[in-house]
Amino acid sequence: LSDYVPFLTSKSGFPINAETWKSMFDFCLKQNSDCKKQITDLYESSQENVISKKPLPVFRVDKIETAENFLNKVQNYLNSLEYNYTGMQFFQVNRGASIIRLGELVKTIMLASLPIKCLEATILAIFLTQGQEYLKRFTMSFVSEFNGNVFRHVVLGIYSSSGSFGALGLSRRENLMYKPLNFPVMKIVIFLWTVFNNRK
């Protein structure tokens, strides 16, 4: 394993085999040596505990539900999966995959209910917001720096027919992801991300 590899990717499928868990444990220890006890305790407990599955979300937009409420439901589901800090990406994402293949990936992510990174969260958000004619969606990517490390982010930008902008997604930093659907121009959202990114 090279010191320059930012994270590992699981290729064993599900359920995750012992070798993959061990690789994740070793990598996590290497990246977070100051948290050795906590990581070791989690790894040892994972040998006995089974990860419970979260129920599949059901999104229904009725006549009185606003776009803001709908997007809040989507974001709450993304939050429930949590951001993946382990150093092991559980799902292989092919950026050039067809929409059908990405749909299969989404089903796997939802059934596994494991923590995800920003790219997986963005793909989930794309599928969970399909069919909403009052929403225009577009991906946005940017780079941030934290503790001397450079991270690449991607989120799903949202434009509502009411004239408001927002964003859906996940990040290791809460202020670099979700933005509610109440901004008159996207420039304000980008400005807020820039301000938060510059805070140490």
Side-chain angles (χ1 to χ4, degrees):
L1 178 65
S2 168
D3 290 336
Y4 300 100
V5 176
F7 56 83
L8 302 175
T9 300
S10 172
K11 297 182 179 180
S12 64
F14 295 97
I16 297 175
N17 61 29
E19 182 180 355
T20 300
W21 280 120
K22 184 63 166 58
S23 296
M24 181 177 70
F25 169 68
D26 292 340
F27 184 81
C28 197
L29 274 181
K30 184 176 182 180
Q31 300 297 313
N32 305 278
S33 57
D34 55 333
C35 301
K36 182 177 180 179
K37 184 181 186 307
Q38 295 94 319
I39 295 171
T40 301
D41 289 345
L42 283 172
Y43 175 69
E44 291 176 349
S45 67
S46 72
Q47 306 305 302
E48 302 176 357
N49 299 330
V50 177
I51 299 176
S52 61
K53 296 179 180 178
K54 295 180 175 64
L56 293 177
V58 177
F59 296 106
R60 294 287 184 271
V61 182
D62 57 38
K63 294 181 179 179
I64 62 173
E65 185 166 38
T66 64
E68 290 83 355
N69 288 341
F70 171 73
L71 293 178
N72 189 52
K73 288 181 179 179
V74 176
Q75 185 61 43
N76 284 341
Y77 176 70
L78 298 180
N79 293 344
S80 74
L81 295 178
E82 301 181 355
Y83 186 82
N84 182 359
Y85 293 95
T86 65
M88 169 71 73
Q89 183 169 314
F90 297 114
F91 310 96
Q92 295 187 66
V93 180
N94 179 0
R95 293 172 180 263
S98 67
I99 195 70
I100 294 176
R101 292 294 185 187
L102 289 177
E104 293 173 354
L105 172 64
V106 164
K107 291 178 182 178
T108 301
I109 292 173
M110 295 173 73
L111 287 171
S113 292
L114 290 169
I116 55 178
K117 292 182 177 290
C118 61
L119 178 57
E120 296 142 306
T122 299
I123 294 172
L124 263 178
I126 289 172
F127 276 83
L128 294 177
T129 54
Q130 276 187 326
Q132 308 307 320
E133 297 180 357
Y134 55 84
L135 298 179
K136 301 295 183 183
R137 303 162 301 159
F138 49 94
T139 57
M140 301 180 64
S141 59
F142 54 96
V143 175
S144 69
E145 183 177 347
F146 186 67
N147 288 339
N149 297 313
V150 175
F151 300 95
R152 296 185 180 277
H153 300 275
V154 62
V155 296
L156 185 67
I158 300 290
Y159 172 73
S160 170
S161 57
S162 64
S164 299
F165 289 86
L168 296 170
L170 286 181
S171 170
R172 64 182 61 242
R173 297 173 65 183
E174 290 186 4
N175 45 28
L176 293 179
M177 46 183 236
Y178 171 66
K179 290 291 179 285
L181 193 66
N182 57 15
F183 295 91
V185 292
M186 197 66 202
K187 184 184 296 185
I188 298 177
V189 177
I190 296 172
F191 173 75
L192 290 175
W193 280 329
T194 303
V195 170
F196 287 128
N197 184 36
N198 290 333
R199 291 181 179 177
K200 305 300 181 182

